[in-house]
Amino acid sequence: MIQQALTLVQSSCLIRYKHIIDNILSSLPLRDAVRTSILSSKWRFKWVTLPHLVFENQSVLISAQDQTIIKNKLVSVIDHVLLLHTGPIYRFKLSHRDLQGVSDVDRWILFLSRGFVKEFILEIWKGHRYKLPSSMYSFQKLIHLELFNCLLKPPYTFNGFKSLKSLDLQHITMDQGAFEDMVSNCPLLERLTLMNFDGFTHLKIHAPNLVFFDVGGVFEEVDFHDTINLAIVSIGLYSNTGSDRNMAFGCTGNLIKFFANLPRIQRLEVQNFFLKYLAAGGVPVKLPTPCIVLTFLSIRVNFNDMEEDLAALCLLRSCPNLQELELFVSSCILCTVATCPCFSLMECF
Amino acid sequence: MSSPEEKTLILKSSDNEEFLVKESVAVQCITIKNLVEDGCDLDAIPLLNVDSKNLAWIIEFMEKYADSTSTDAEKKDFDTEFVKKPFNDVLGLILAANYLNFPALMDVMCDACANEMKLWSVEQVREKFHIQNDYTEEEEKAVRAENFWAFE
């Protein structure tokens, strides 16, 4: 009895706090949050001021089999929710696997551009790269932007997202100039993720506040400028682009150039063919400046490649305070333990 | 062993039990942080709306979250176990987190509350939150039509 009375008091108290209800409703899938409208007249419009709207398969259950019906219903649901919604929308995520059709997304982005969206996540699962409308580039309060399967072609008037701290671009297309401008015109950028991109091959990263950089794709060059705060780096070069063949005699090797602007690097992952890239242009015995705060190093190395061996050795000699090492060895089919270069590499410990 | 400069605070629950907590841990509660910054010089900080049962749990949570050596995965595991409490305790912790202005705890407990609600029918939600259904039949029909997709 006492327990029941206590729950009564607590729950009556709790539902009087709008921010608590908003927090609870925000943790529910959108469909369940909207269903609270049926609880009582006081609850009818509690969901409409939710600052976070997430449209994905689990949050918007659509009971239909036919693809076209599902797609049309989904568009109807999103239009409906946006029309009934009132107040600021700070977080908007659209990642429904049945979504097709670009003009609808254009319309929703235009609607959001009139507000103050801080986090925008768009994942287009079907069809070609979705070309973002120009209204997207006027999301001035954006702090986090995440795009999947999109084409970015900012208007010439676009001057970056001045509040953007986190940028996650996967399976995207944009041209070289647009990419460089995007990164350098987001002065507060702290996190950058790039996976599977095309349209640009030179990763010129000018970002003084960048702390985290994760890239996986096909590119020809990585260039850091002013990246004095970059602490966590993970780079995967998916194919051997053979940039070493283009290196002029006497120019600085990639390994030295790479670390020249990473004074504060703490964690580094070198994946796929990236070690081969780093080995191009000549490898010193040790880096000119050791990586004194590097505590975690992960390298994928092909021990049959002498240049990669030298690059790996150089790295190992250049991080005096290393605490954790991960080595991924590309298969060396023909060697035995005695002749395997792996053995001499491990001896430097 | 805490360093000589490490300040500790005494937090007093509504039922007069005293708990010793490092200041650096306790200031995750913005209410406490403000008291400290305003130069509160009481021997013990009285928390009139938090009983000892809740305060003990809150301190356990604060200490886990203040620990810089615990990873995100470890915190998630901790959260999963921490929220396994009867529903009225979950509500109690939400209210305490609100009173103490402790955002991390508030988010975890509201998430836990939402996870329970997902499993309930409309009637069960009304029962647990003591909500009186005051819709007429017509009004209820109108609400269902208004949000048709959520009721299909």
Side-chain angles (χ1 to χ4, degrees):
Chain A
M1 265 307 269
I2 294 172
Q3 277 303 307
Q4 274 190 305
L6 190 62
T7 323
L8 168 62
V9 168
Q10 284 183 153
S11 54
S12 325
C13 196
L14 192 141
I15 58 179
R16 274 188 227 130
Y17 291 101
K18 183 179 184 305
H19 63 281
I20 298 182
I21 292 299
D22 276 354
N23 198 329
I24 296 171
L25 291 182
S26 294
S27 305
L28 286 170
L30 187 61
R31 184 172 185 267
D32 290 327
V34 172
R35 282 167 68 89
T36 61
S37 57
I38 207 72
L39 290 169
S40 77
S41 59
K42 281 209 180 85
W43 281 79
R44 185 168 179 174
F45 298 116
K46 280 205 197 287
W47 74 267
V48 306
T49 51
L50 279 178
H52 304 156
L53 292 177
V54 173
F55 297 97
E56 51 191 12
N57 289 62
Q58 311 93 289
S59 63
V60 181
L61 295 171
I62 294 177
S63 49
Q65 297 301 321
D66 184 81
Q67 281 299 308
T68 316
I69 296 179
I70 298 176
K71 181 238 159 182
N72 290 336
K73 261 198 162 162
L74 176 62
V75 169
S76 164
V77 168
I78 299 176
D79 278 338
H80 207 81
V81 167
L82 290 179
L83 196 59
L84 285 174
H85 188 277
T86 183
I89 298 173
Y90 290 132
R91 180 170 199 260
F92 184 91
K93 177 176 176 180
L94 176 53
S95 174
H96 201 288
R97 307 232 168 183
D98 299 304
L99 182 72
Q100 287 171 72
V102 297
S103 57
D104 302 305
V105 187
D106 286 354
R107 178 171 74 248
W108 298 324
I109 291 178
L110 177 60
F111 170 82
L112 291 169
S113 70
R114 294 171 182 156
F116 304 102
V117 176
K118 292 186 187 168
E119 291 178 38
F120 182 70
I121 300 147
L122 179 62
E123 294 174 348
I124 303 290
W125 294 95
K126 285 195 161 125
H128 304 297
R129 298 267 198 263
Y130 164 65
K131 179 167 182 250
L132 292 159
S134 53
S135 54
M136 213 222 63
Y137 301 97
S138 55
F139 282 10
Q140 275 315 307
K141 299 285 176 186
L142 215 51
I143 295 177
H144 173 71
L145 177 62
E146 205 175 307
L147 300 169
F148 181 89
N149 194 22
C150 294
L151 167 66
L152 286 88
K153 214 169 172 181
Y156 73 92
T157 49
F158 177 59
N159 209 14
F161 294 113
K162 297 305 176 196
S163 309
L164 197 71
K165 286 192 175 169
S166 161
L167 181 60
D168 185 329
L169 302 174
Q170 305 201 24
H171 290 269
I172 56 108
T173 304
M174 68 195 297
D175 69 40
Q176 185 68 48
F179 171 72
E180 284 177 25
D181 288 345
M182 175 76 91
V183 175
S184 59
N185 287 336
C186 297
L188 300 184
L189 199 64
E190 291 174 8
R191 296 179 64 93
L192 177 59
T193 301
L194 283 173
M195 293 285 161
N196 294 298
F197 46 91
D198 47 72
F200 57 100
T201 54
H202 185 162
L203 303 180
K204 196 165 168 187
I205 310 294
H206 179 100
N209 284 306
L210 201 65
V211 173
F212 173 95
F213 181 51
D214 186 3
V215 63
V218 177
F219 52 89
E220 285 178 7
E221 209 174 323
V222 176
D223 231 335
F224 292 116
H225 291 261
D226 289 344
T227 44
I228 49 168
N229 288 306
L230 198 44
I232 304 171
V233 175
S234 172
I235 307 197
L237 176 57
Y238 292 169
S239 79
N240 188 3
T241 49
S243 51
D244 52 317
R245 292 180 225 131
N246 297 326
M247 294 206 102
F249 182 75
C251 75
T252 321
N254 282 345
L255 201 57
I256 294 180
K257 270 203 294 194
F258 183 76
F259 284 96
N261 275 297
L262 299 179
R264 301 220 179 109
I265 186 153
Q266 294 171 23
R267 293 179 65 93
L268 175 63
E269 284 178 30
V270 175
Q271 297 168 344
N272 311 90
F273 291 98
F274 195 58
L275 189 64
K276 182 127 184 97
Y277 166 90
L278 287 176
V283 176
V285 168
K286 267 202 312 203
L287 289 174
T289 314
C291 303
I292 49 175
V293 286
L294 191 72
T295 54
F296 173 90
L297 179 63
S298 170
I299 343 176
R300 170 168 281 281
V301 54
N302 176 4
F303 278 127
N304 288 325
D305 183 325
M306 180 59 94
E307 283 168 355
E308 285 197 34
D309 289 344
L310 292 174
L313 284 169
C314 170
L315 273 175
L316 292 168
R317 287 189 197 107
S318 309
C319 37
N321 297 314
L322 197 65
Q323 289 170 14
E324 248 181 281
L325 174 68
E326 245 177 27
L327 270 179
F328 292 94
V329 181
S330 300
S331 54
C332 35
I333 317 161
L334 297 172
C335 67
T336 62
V337 168
T339 57
C340 184
C342 316
F343 225 56
S344 50
L345 190 68
M346 297 319 288
E347 276 171 4
C348 46
F349 289 102
Chain B
M1 206 65 182
S2 57
S3 58
E5 303 90 27
E6 181 79 83
K7 212 183 156 205
T8 48
L9 298 174
I10 300 172
L11 302 178
K12 194 155 87 169
S13 66
S14 55
D15 46 349
N16 289 319
E17 214 177 296
E18 292 188 349
F19 296 81
L20 207 64
V21 186
K22 282 190 210 155
E23 185 181 294
S24 57
V25 168
V27 294
Q28 287 175 93
C29 296
I30 298 175
T31 308
I32 297 177
K33 181 172 188 264
N34 289 339
L35 279 170
V36 166
E37 283 176 358
D38 290 344
C40 164
D41 61 354
L42 294 169
D43 288 332
I45 297 180
L47 301 172
L48 302 171
N49 282 3
V50 188
D51 65 21
S52 53
K53 180 178 86 168
N54 281 305
L55 190 51
W57 281 331
I58 291 168
I59 291 171
E60 184 195 342
F61 189 93
M62 284 200 290
E63 285 177 345
K64 186 70 185 179
Y65 269 64
D67 182 5
S68 52
T69 63
S70 52
T71 63
D72 284 344
E74 282 167 6
K75 281 187 186 147
K76 251 207 141 93
D77 288 337
F78 170 82
D79 290 348
T80 310
E81 286 309 307
F82 186 81
V83 302
K84 285 179 183 166
K85 290 176 165 63
F87 185 63
N88 44 296
D89 286 336
V90 170
L91 291 186
L93 279 167
I94 292 178
L95 288 169
N98 181 55
Y99 172 73
L100 293 170
N101 197 346
F102 187 2
L105 178 63
M106 174 71 87
D107 287 346
V108 167
M109 298 318 297
C110 284
D111 217 41
C113 180
N115 284 335
E116 296 235 17
M117 281 173 78
K118 272 188 237 182
L119 308 168
W120 299 338
S121 64
V122 169
E123 265 317 310
Q124 281 173 306
V125 175
R126 282 192 185 123
E127 193 193 303
K128 298 269 187 177
F129 282 103
H130 300 275
I131 297 169
Q132 192 65 28
N133 180 11
D134 57 352
Y135 283 131
T136 63
E137 212 177 288
E138 263 171 29
E139 282 169 344
E140 190 167 317
K141 252 190 176 165
V143 175
R144 282 181 186 274
E146 190 171 273
N147 300 304
F148 62 93
W149 62 278
F151 295 103
E152 276 168 3

